[in-house]
Amino acid sequence: MTNPSDRVLPANSMAESREGDFGCTVMELRKLMELRSRDALTQINVHYGGVQNLCSRLKTSPVEGLSGNPADLEKRRQVFGHNVIPPKKPKTFLELVWEALQDVTLIILEIAAIISLVLSFYRPAGEENELCGQVASTPEDESEAQAGWIEGAAILFSVIIVVLVTAFNDWSKEKQFRGLQNRIEQEQKFSIIRNGQLIQLPVAEIVVGDIAQVKYGDLLPADGILIQGNDLKIDESSLTGESDHVKKSLDKDPMLLSGTHVMEGSGRIVVTAVGVNSQTGIILTLLGVNEDDEGEKKKKGKKQGVPENRNKAKTQDGVALEIQPLNSQEGIDNEEKDKKAVKVPKKEKSVLQGKLTRLAVQIGKAGLLMSALTVFILILYFVIDNFVINRRPWLPECTPIYIQYFVKFFIIGVTVLVVAVPEGLPLAVTISLAYSVKKMMKDNNLVRHLDACETMGNATAICSDKTGTLTMNRMTVVQAYIGGIHYRQIPSPDVFLPKVLDLIVNGISINSAYTSKILPPEKEGGLPRQVGNKTECALLGFVTDLKQDYQAVRNEVPEEKLYKVYTFNSVRKSMSTVIRNPSGGFRMYSKGASEIILRKCNRILDRKGEAVPFRNKDRDDMIRTVIEPMACDGLRTICIAYRDFNDAEPSWDNENEILTELTCIAVVGIEDPVRPEVPDAIAKCKQAGITVRMVTGDNINTARAIATKCGILTPGDDFLCLEGKEFNRLIRNEKGEVEQEKLDKIWPKLRVLARSSPTDKHTLVKGIIDSTVGEQRQVVAVTGDGTNDGPALKKADVGFAMGIAGTDVAKEASDIILTDDNFTSIVKAVMWGRNVYDSISKFLQFQLTVNVVAVIVAFTGACITQDSPLKAVQMLWVNLIMDTFASLALATEPPTESLLKRRPYGRNKPLISRTMMKNILGHAFYQLLVIFILVFAGEKFFDIDSGRKAPLHSPPTQHYTIVFNTFVLMQLFNEINSRKIHGEKNVFSGIYRNIIFCSVVLGTFICQIFIVEFGGKPFSCTSLSLSQWLWCLFIGIGELLWGQFISAIPTRSLKFLKEAGHGTTKEEITKDAEGLDEIDHAEMELRRGQILWFRGLNRIQTQIDVINTFQTGASFKGVLRRQNMGQHLDVKLVPSSSYVAVAPVKSSPTTSVPAVSSPPMGNQSGQSVP
């Protein structure tokens, strides 16, 4: 693509540079879209002859749109590009293998294995020397001694297997994640006019020249120029950082840019740039989105009740590019001073990740200690035995043999560490979450952030919308009040005078979005289809019920003829449309919430269709006799009114004066029936210890009636139903600030918040999350569909957006999208969330039993017999079973209804409960008892040779093969025990529903048979007889019986048992995490020892920066921000609008270097540079 010249071509010469017969090139359109307001208007009018002319150049009709001819669409894609931004390249399998190889324990094992290999090929001269101690005791074992290399090779081979399995898991996780991204992108559709028909088109299929219909709540998918607009306001903060809404109109600023949000109004645009040529696309290309590696990391570390930074530029994955202050590590010394100046929002990892990371670090430390102790004791024993007790001299020719012994001890130690470190934990979490996310799609939950799935399991409160979530969002007018008569059913049109009927029909048909329509049913005998805003559809249905045709009215008054439109928004709670009367003057039709519109009426139509005065007393009577009875039936009341302006044209911008002195035409009652499955779902929530609150914009009586039908309110309950105004009065002080103490008195009893604004919703959610009432912090889920619900959705622990009724802005702010807008899907999300938690606990119960047993066996065996009964390769196999296969088997258990029969775990509940600890220690006791009996008395019982104290390179023995085989079989049967963690007796219930579990257990058993019978030297195994196999199996099955015995012991009586895997307390987080962007509990543990090292490194880098800066005149546009992310340093370029200079440094080396926004300055004085 060539760079365009700065000179813009005049209209006539443009014909020569046509690209594919279109009247303008990609570059010219790109150039045009970079202009704003007046400049853009001038360019469009001078060079293109206006927007209509531009449409004809792009061969499109402003009214009919493109024809939709495939050849034409393809041509447009070739000339102007596709509406997609190429995603970042995924990591290749080899890159993932390389990452898996970075594991420290695996590296240690590799080194040990290579040393072992090298030494096994080295035949030292002193090998035959008696003084060097035992090497291989029998002459027939010469060939075995030659095979010393096998152990080293087998360890390497095992490491390769572990690495490949890990890499494959990462690869499939990445693939699933991308699949999820694609699914989310495919879900996004946009209203496009093609061939005169309004259709919903996937965003990727939009081409230049398309006519798009934009409305409140849309996220614009491409750049365009306005053809027609009503009261259009756009939030361009994602591109400009300015939070003020920008008004768009044909005569001031017609440029609409991709990635911006429509906050108010509606309109039609002609698409002029798509994909990488759109403004967002250009920015993303400049940012090098394809190489940007930060995206994935930030995506996963989503907030947990953290204040959001408003000035965010969204990239294509919805990843935030935050502009943050300079923050270097040594500033920690200076933290007290800086804390007040800069408060960077801290992100906390998800609850489960936090608990797991802490637990893994603790287990890892214990494992490291045990392995170091093992090596130390083995070497000490060897040295004392050889050089002190047997008084052998250290001969130079014996050194290689001694080194071989030491390497063998080292390998045993490392293997203990490998078994002790639960590297299967992250894998189990990943598998469990990925599996859940996949299955949740079938339950109509599209998960956008993985950790939301697990957070949902802890949810204690759900703040739900009413319309569409609890109700069916199928609205119909069932009552009306017209001309002083309250009609309980829709009346026949004959009862109204023609002029009244005309006012009703015009007031509804003209004063509603032209995108709202009623279409014929898809199936014969079905209900008519409602397209667009459901309340408007109900009113249009009312017009149809009165045997009138709204479309005829709209054809007479097309959208272009609407003089002024005040669109509906959450502040106005009404919509008004002004049209010019043929006889002169203007007429305005208004509709909205009945209390609000009636307050602005000073006249009302009587039975004869005459406007009569409407006083405050009349209004109060009407509210008491008409509106409240309708609301108590659960109906939403809407008032329709009008006003004529016959004098001079008023100032339309003075809204308060325009929307007064209205004449009321009618009040209608709209019914939105409760979804039949909702009462049952809410009952399940109550049983599961979750409080459901309804937050709605509706009248309080309507809200109360619906809440009672749903079961949120039950007769005789002492619960609060408040209106937004009353709620604010109770929680705010004289200055109008929200006081947490006041809010804490309200929210525990609040069940219904009516006539609420999105701000009220945000205040309530924030108040519940920040509250310290009760033992634990509340975990809040929120549903939202409107643009203004964004802040509440972001603030909540889990935000649910509506897939059908939700705006793009709400979806962007959410964690989970409900594809069917149904409350019951939220209950399913709770079930899946709790299931993730339980799956991890099951895996932990299994893994820790194996860890405890394997580590103790290796340790005591090494101390007593100078050799681990379980060899390095065998341990790696056990590690593979318990890490990879067990996480696969136990993390894919499907959820059951019983999960909803207990209360939420809460944020601080430990991962390992006392019942689980009882199971872990009980099973470990049984396994250790069996293993030690077999190791020290097994040879007598089976009448075989002892395998204890075998010399170096000796062949595998049946004795130790039986020990290994029994150990693995006990783990297999304990895996079945681990399916239950709450002390249930029946461990087999529902086992057939989990095919993966059955196949893993069976597959492992078959592999074990092959290893024992044919594994030979690499696995240190020799084949066993049938009776020996049966004994091993019998001992393994004993695990199941022992499990029954343990579950019969009441946990309450075992007072000495402790819990483990607690969450991090708030105090610890704030104490440890100052200055960290994302709180990672493992990194916090590691960090304490690293701070000095980082300070040193940072100080040197800062000094170099300072010196370089002074040398170059101290002015540069980007400030390098250093950020400590655990063990590596990230350098980020933070763009800055003004020049940034580094202030003089005159203090000690521990002072951080602040960035000062000022004009460029040179090295003005002899500053001392540290």
Side-chain angles (χ1 to χ4, degrees):
M1 217 177 269
T2 55
N3 279 338
S5 60
D6 290 336
R7 187 173 56 84
V8 179
L9 297 167
N12 55 3
S13 70
M14 199 170 278
E16 298 160 23
S17 68
R18 283 183 182 180
E19 231 177 272
D21 302 336
F22 293 106
C24 34
T25 64
V26 177
M27 275 309 176
E28 284 157 6
L29 288 175
R30 239 174 102 155
K31 247 326 204 218
L32 174 64
M33 292 317 293
E34 282 168 12
L35 300 173
R36 298 284 176 274
S37 51
R38 290 276 169 220
D39 300 343
L41 270 173
T42 313
Q43 179 77 344
I44 292 167
N45 294 330
V46 173
H47 293 285
Y48 295 94
V51 180
Q52 302 291 335
N53 216 345
L54 178 63
C55 288
S56 55
R57 285 190 180 206
L58 289 172
K59 300 188 175 175
T60 183
S61 152
V63 181
E64 299 279 313
L66 296 175
S67 64
N69 173 7
D72 174 49
L73 297 177
E74 193 45 49
K75 192 175 191 182
R76 286 172 191 274
R77 286 194 188 101
Q78 283 170 4
V79 174
F80 299 110
H82 291 254
N83 195 24
V84 283
I85 291 165
K88 198 187 82 187
K89 278 200 184 86
K91 285 182 180 159
T92 61
F93 187 70
L94 286 176
E95 283 177 307
L96 292 169
V97 167
W98 178 245
E99 274 182 19
L101 277 168
Q102 309 301 309
D103 187 348
V104 182
T105 42
L106 287 181
I107 291 172
I108 296 170
L109 258 186
E110 287 156 26
I111 293 168
I114 290 166
I115 294 172
S116 169
L117 260 178
V118 170
L119 289 173
S120 67
F121 289 118
Y122 176 60
R123 289 274 157 270
E127 192 167 16
E128 306 303 320
N129 195 330
E130 279 297 309
L131 293 171
C132 295
Q134 292 176 304
V135 178
S137 50
T138 47
E140 68 264 24
D141 290 338
E142 282 300 312
S143 59
E144 293 287 354
Q146 299 297 320
W149 61 273
I150 291 179
E151 186 168 33
I155 293 174
L156 280 181
F157 182 70
S158 307
V159 166
I160 290 166
I161 296 280
V162 170
V163 164
L164 287 177
V165 168
T166 312
F168 177 75
N169 276 307
D170 286 346
W171 177 79
S172 55
K173 178 176 75 181
E174 177 106 346
K175 193 167 153 227
Q176 270 181 332
F177 189 72
R178 290 200 173 267
L180 187 64
Q181 267 321 105
N182 295 341
R183 170 84 192 264
I184 291 169
E185 279 159 22
Q186 282 160 16
E187 289 280 314
Q188 201 193 354
K189 294 190 169 157
F190 209 77
S191 305
I192 301 289
I193 299 169
R194 289 226 176 133
N195 231 350
Q197 296 293 315
L198 185 68
I199 56 168
Q200 292 296 313
L201 201 67
V203 164
E205 289 177 30
I206 294 172
V207 294
V208 168
D210 260 326
I211 304 297
Q213 187 95 38
V214 300
K215 60 185 185 307
Y216 159 81
D218 282 343
L219 172 67
L220 297 181
D223 292 354
I225 296 172
L226 198 63
I227 300 173
Q228 177 267 322
N230 305 320
D231 196 24
L232 200 59
K233 287 184 187 158
I234 307 284
D235 174 9
E236 293 188 346
S237 61
S238 57
L239 286 179
T240 62
E242 296 296 328
S243 56
D244 294 342
H245 297 170
V246 183
K247 263 192 165 176
K248 298 287 176 183
S249 60
L250 290 165
D251 53 349
K252 287 196 182 125
D253 183 0
M255 314 304 271
L256 276 79
L257 307 174
S258 61
T260 59
H261 296 132
V262 182
M263 300 310 278
E264 233 176 87
S266 61
R268 278 208 320 276
I269 63 169
V270 57
V271 174
T272 51
V274 293
V276 287
N277 297 310
S278 68
Q279 292 304 296
T280 305
I282 293 167
I283 290 173
L284 290 175
T285 314
L286 287 175
L287 282 171
V289 117
N290 304 342
E291 297 84 49
D292 185 14
D293 198 35
E294 276 298 295
E296 292 291 311
K297 281 183 209 158
K298 281 199 184 175
K299 182 113 181 101
K300 286 173 193 164
K302 210 209 164 230
K303 87 287 165 207
Q304 194 73 26
V306 173
E308 284 292 325
N309 184 346
R310 289 303 303 271
N311 293 345
K312 284 183 177 179
K314 288 270 187 225
T315 71
Q316 95 268 28
D317 272 357
V319 177
L321 298 166
E322 292 182 36
I323 295 170
Q324 286 168 327
L326 188 79
N327 179 16
S328 71
Q329 184 64 38
E330 76 251 19
I332 284 179
D333 296 346
N334 224 6
E335 193 118 69
E336 291 313 307
K337 297 171 200 165
D338 294 347
K339 218 179 277 177
K340 293 184 186 74
V342 176
K343 195 78 178 144
V344 182
K346 285 181 269 297
K347 295 193 184 112
E348 188 185 337
K349 278 200 165 182
S350 85
V351 188
L352 184 64
Q353 277 175 316
K355 289 179 183 177
L356 280 176
T357 320
R358 290 192 92 196
L359 190 66
V361 167
Q362 287 161 358
I363 296 171
K365 282 180 179 172
L368 195 61
L369 186 73
M370 290 296 274
S371 66
L373 212 55
T374 308
V375 175
F376 177 71
I377 289 173
L378 281 171
I379 292 174
L380 195 68
Y381 195 104
F382 178 80
V383 169
I384 291 172
D385 186 48
N386 272 314
F387 304 124
V388 178
I389 299 170
N390 293 328
R391 306 206 169 180
R392 291 201 181 101
W394 182 298
L395 301 173
E397 60 266 30
C398 292
T399 305
I401 293 176
Y402 296 150
I403 289 174
Q404 268 182 315
Y405 268 109
F406 291 155
V407 168
K408 181 183 162 186
F409 299 153
F410 182 63
I411 288 176
I412 291 169
V414 173
T415 316
V416 170
L417 181 64
V418 169
V419 175
V421 173
E423 64 268 40
L425 271 183
L427 184 63
V429 178
T430 306
I431 290 176
S432 186
L433 286 175
Y435 171 77
S436 301
V437 166
K438 210 170 179 181
K439 293 286 185 187
M440 279 170 83
M441 278 190 190
K442 291 180 183 164
D443 282 343
N444 303 308
N445 283 289
L446 179 62
V447 181
R448 292 182 75 243
H449 298 109
L450 275 182
D451 59 350
C453 163
E454 154 251 314
T455 310
M456 228 15 239
N458 285 322
T460 54
I462 298 173
C463 294
S464 173
D465 279 352
K466 175 180 77 68
T467 309
T469 313
L470 299 171
T471 60
M472 289 170 78
N473 207 12
R474 166 103 214 158
M475 301 205 188
T476 41
V477 172
V478 290
Q479 294 186 23
Y481 177 85
I482 302 167
I485 301 170
H486 186 172
Y487 298 94
R488 302 274 171 184
Q489 284 164 338
I490 301 299
S492 142
D494 315 335
V495 301
F496 304 121
L497 292 169
K499 64 174 181 180
V500 176
L501 197 57
D502 264 6
L503 278 171
I504 294 171
V505 173
N506 288 348
I508 290 172
S509 308
I510 294 171
N511 186 31
S512 56
Y514 279 30
T515 47
S516 299
K517 295 178 182 151
I518 293 197
L519 302 178
E522 282 174 343
K523 292 179 191 156
E524 217 162 300
L527 292 166
R529 281 182 297 149
Q530 297 184 338
V531 177
N533 182 297
K534 297 294 190 268
T535 309
E536 290 183 342
C537 287
L539 293 169
L540 294 172
F542 178 51
V543 171
T544 314
D545 291 343
L546 293 173
K547 312 281 187 293
Q548 304 297 309
D549 181 9
Y550 69 85
Q551 196 55 51
V553 178
R554 285 180 173 182
N555 295 343
E556 222 173 281
V557 187
E559 230 172 330
E560 291 77 41
K561 283 196 183 172
L562 303 181
Y563 194 77
K564 171 82 182 162
V565 180
Y566 299 95
T567 49
F568 180 89
N569 65 27
S570 57
V571 179
R572 267 188 208 129
K573 288 201 186 297
S574 68
M575 173 179 178
S576 306
T577 305
V578 181
I579 55 169
R580 200 188 274 274
N581 285 331
S583 56
F586 301 91
R587 171 166 285 181
M588 177 179 77
Y589 290 109
S590 293
K591 70 166 190 290
S594 53
E595 304 99 299
I596 288 164
I597 295 287
L598 284 176
R599 237 179 271 138
K600 295 174 179 174
C601 290
N602 65 351
R603 301 154 80 77
I604 187 166
L605 295 184
D606 66 4
R607 204 167 294 188
K608 295 174 189 158
E610 300 299 326
V612 295
F614 185 61
R615 293 179 294 274
N616 285 353
K617 179 181 163 297
D618 302 331
R619 186 174 66 234
D620 295 343
D621 288 347
M622 188 166 164
I623 286 174
R624 197 179 65 254
T625 58
V626 178
I627 290 168
E628 282 183 4
M630 280 187 185
C632 291
D633 291 341
L635 305 184
R636 166 184 279 193
T637 55
I638 300 285
C639 178
I640 302 159
Y642 77 101
R643 180 182 177 185
D644 285 328
F645 299 91
N646 296 323
D647 310 326
E649 184 173 344
S651 161
W652 299 112
D653 289 338
N654 193 345
E655 214 175 301
N656 290 339
E657 289 197 7
I658 301 290
L659 288 179
T660 53
E661 300 179 17
L662 304 180
T663 304
C664 172
I665 305 169
V667 172
V668 294
I670 296 177
E671 181 182 49
D672 184 10
V674 170
R675 287 178 184 266
E677 63 275 26
V678 162
D680 188 35
I682 286 178
K684 280 182 187 165
C685 283
K686 285 185 173 175
Q687 188 185 11
I690 300 168
T691 309
V692 182
R693 292 179 176 84
M694 181 202 284
V695 183
T696 176
D698 247 345
N699 174 311
I700 191 156
N701 295 320
T702 311
R704 193 185 283 121
I706 298 284
T708 310
K709 283 181 189 172
C710 291
I712 292 175
L713 293 175
T714 44
D717 280 345
D718 176 27
F719 289 135
L720 285 175
C721 295
L722 292 177
E723 278 196 338
K725 265 188 186 167
E726 180 67 7
F727 172 69
N728 278 304
R729 193 181 63 74
L730 290 170
I731 63 165
R732 292 179 188 273
N733 59 18
E734 299 79 50
K735 293 178 190 167
E737 296 159 347
V738 176
E739 282 192 7
Q740 187 66 44
E741 275 178 36
K742 289 186 173 182
L743 191 52
D744 285 346
K745 289 174 188 164
I746 301 288
W747 74 256
K749 283 192 172 183
L750 184 69
R751 290 295 176 273
V752 175
L753 186 59
R755 281 277 175 257
S756 68
S757 68
T759 319
D760 297 338
K761 193 180 203 173
H762 181 258
T763 307
L764 177 65
V765 172
K766 184 177 183 302
I768 297 177
I769 288 175
D770 294 348
S771 174
T772 49
V773 176
E775 302 158 29
Q776 298 188 331
R777 126 134 154 76
Q778 296 276 314
V779 176
V780 185
V782 169
T783 68
D785 53 8
T787 301
N788 299 38
D789 287 332
L793 288 170
K794 264 193 168 356
K795 177 70 196 170
D797 295 299
V798 182
F800 285 92
M802 302 298 144
I804 302 166
T807 59
D808 295 339
V809 183
K811 289 177 189 172
E812 195 77 10
S814 70
D815 301 297
I816 297 176
I817 296 171
L818 293 179
T819 52
D820 63 346
D821 288 15
N822 193 336
F823 186 82
T824 46
S825 304
I826 300 176
V827 180
K828 285 182 183 152
V830 172
M831 253 167 73
W832 278 108
R834 292 187 173 191
N835 193 52
V836 167
Y837 226 83
D838 278 11
S839 296
I840 303 303
S841 295
K842 288 170 189 175
F843 173 68
L844 269 175
Q845 179 173 302
F846 173 70
Q847 164 126 47
L848 293 180
T849 310
V850 189
N851 275 18
V852 168
V853 175
V855 170
I856 292 177
V857 166
F859 178 69
T860 43
C863 296
I864 297 168
T865 66
Q866 289 82 67
D867 189 6
S868 168
L870 299 170
K871 302 292 179 285
V873 180
Q874 293 175 350
M875 288 255 213
L876 284 171
W877 163 238
V878 169
N879 205 36
L880 197 68
I881 298 177
M882 67 185 197
D883 273 1
T884 309
F885 298 153
S887 58
L888 194 64
L890 292 167
T892 53
E893 287 270 321
T896 57
E897 287 283 331
S898 62
L899 287 167
L900 294 174
K901 289 185 178 141
R902 60 170 173 77
R903 304 193 74 69
Y905 279 149
R907 299 175 68 83
N908 305 328
K909 164 104 172 44
L911 273 173
I912 301 168
S913 64
R914 288 177 59 196
T915 307
M916 285 168 63
M917 194 60 93
K918 174 185 78 174
N919 291 343
I920 292 169
L921 297 177
H923 287 291
F925 172 74
Y926 172 81
Q927 292 182 14
L928 285 171
L929 191 70
V930 168
I931 297 284
F932 285 140
I933 289 172
L934 286 178
V935 168
F936 297 111
E939 74 273 21
K940 294 178 187 131
F941 181 75
F942 287 107
D943 195 21
I944 47 177
D945 294 334
S946 169
R948 291 193 302 282
K949 300 206 178 181
L952 204 62
H953 303 318
S954 58
T957 60
Q958 274 194 327
H959 181 196
Y960 273 12
T961 305
I962 290 173
V963 172
F964 166 60
N965 198 23
T966 309
F967 179 70
V968 170
L969 290 177
M970 285 195 294
Q971 304 321 324
L972 268 186
F973 286 102
N974 193 30
E975 202 166 329
I976 299 172
N977 277 329
S978 299
R979 291 184 68 246
K980 302 294 171 198
I981 51 171
H982 298 300
E984 297 93 329
K985 284 267 194 283
N986 183 3
V987 290
F988 289 101
S989 70
I991 196 166
Y992 303 113
R993 286 197 307 147
N994 191 353
I995 306 297
I996 300 178
F997 183 87
C998 298
S999 35
V1000 163
V1001 171
L1002 208 64
T1004 312
F1005 184 57
I1006 292 166
C1007 287
Q1008 181 63 16
I1009 294 174
F1010 273 96
I1011 286 172
V1012 169
E1013 293 303 313
F1014 310 107
K1017 179 76 179 164
F1019 279 96
S1020 310
C1021 286
T1022 181
S1023 62
L1024 301 177
S1025 66
L1026 184 64
S1027 66
Q1028 288 167 339
W1029 262 106
L1030 288 172
W1031 270 110
C1032 294
L1033 255 175
F1034 172 71
I1035 295 168
I1037 292 168
E1039 262 289 353
L1040 293 174
L1041 302 171
W1042 182 251
Q1044 292 301 309
F1045 170 70
I1046 291 175
S1047 64
I1049 304 170
T1051 313
R1052 286 191 302 277
S1053 60
L1054 305 171
K1055 292 274 188 278
F1056 60 89
L1057 287 178
K1058 291 276 184 288
E1059 298 162 324
H1062 287 266
T1064 315
T1065 61
K1066 281 184 187 170
E1067 295 75 43
E1068 284 178 49
I1069 289 174
T1070 44
K1071 186 178 73 206
D1072 273 332
E1074 287 301 336
L1076 268 177
D1077 279 359
E1078 182 173 304
I1079 296 167
D1080 181 332
H1081 303 290
E1083 281 165 15
M1084 229 183 285
E1085 294 268 356
L1086 296 168
R1087 225 175 123 239
R1088 295 187 181 101
Q1090 292 174 345
I1091 285 179
L1092 287 168
W1093 153 248
F1094 275 127
R1095 271 187 205 159
L1097 197 59
N1098 261 329
R1099 200 163 295 147
I1100 294 163
Q1101 291 200 346
T1102 308
Q1103 286 161 13
I1104 293 166
D1105 282 354
V1106 172
I1107 291 161
N1108 289 344
T1109 306
F1110 284 140
Q1111 283 170 352
T1112 56
S1115 67
F1116 51 102
K1117 277 195 174 179
V1119 178
L1120 285 175
R1121 177 166 75 83
R1122 220 167 294 101
Q1123 177 190 28
N1124 166 21
M1125 288 282 287
Q1127 299 184 32
H1128 64 278
L1129 290 166
D1130 261 2
V1131 179
K1132 292 196 178 174
L1133 201 60
V1134 177
S1136 154
S1137 51
S1138 61
Y1139 285 93
V1140 177
V1142 175
V1145 179
K1146 294 177 183 167
S1147 54
S1148 68
T1150 50
T1151 316
S1152 63
V1153 182
V1156 182
S1157 263
S1158 66
M1161 63 170 190
N1163 189 355
Q1164 292 159 342
S1165 59
Q1167 292 104 340
S1168 63
V1169 179

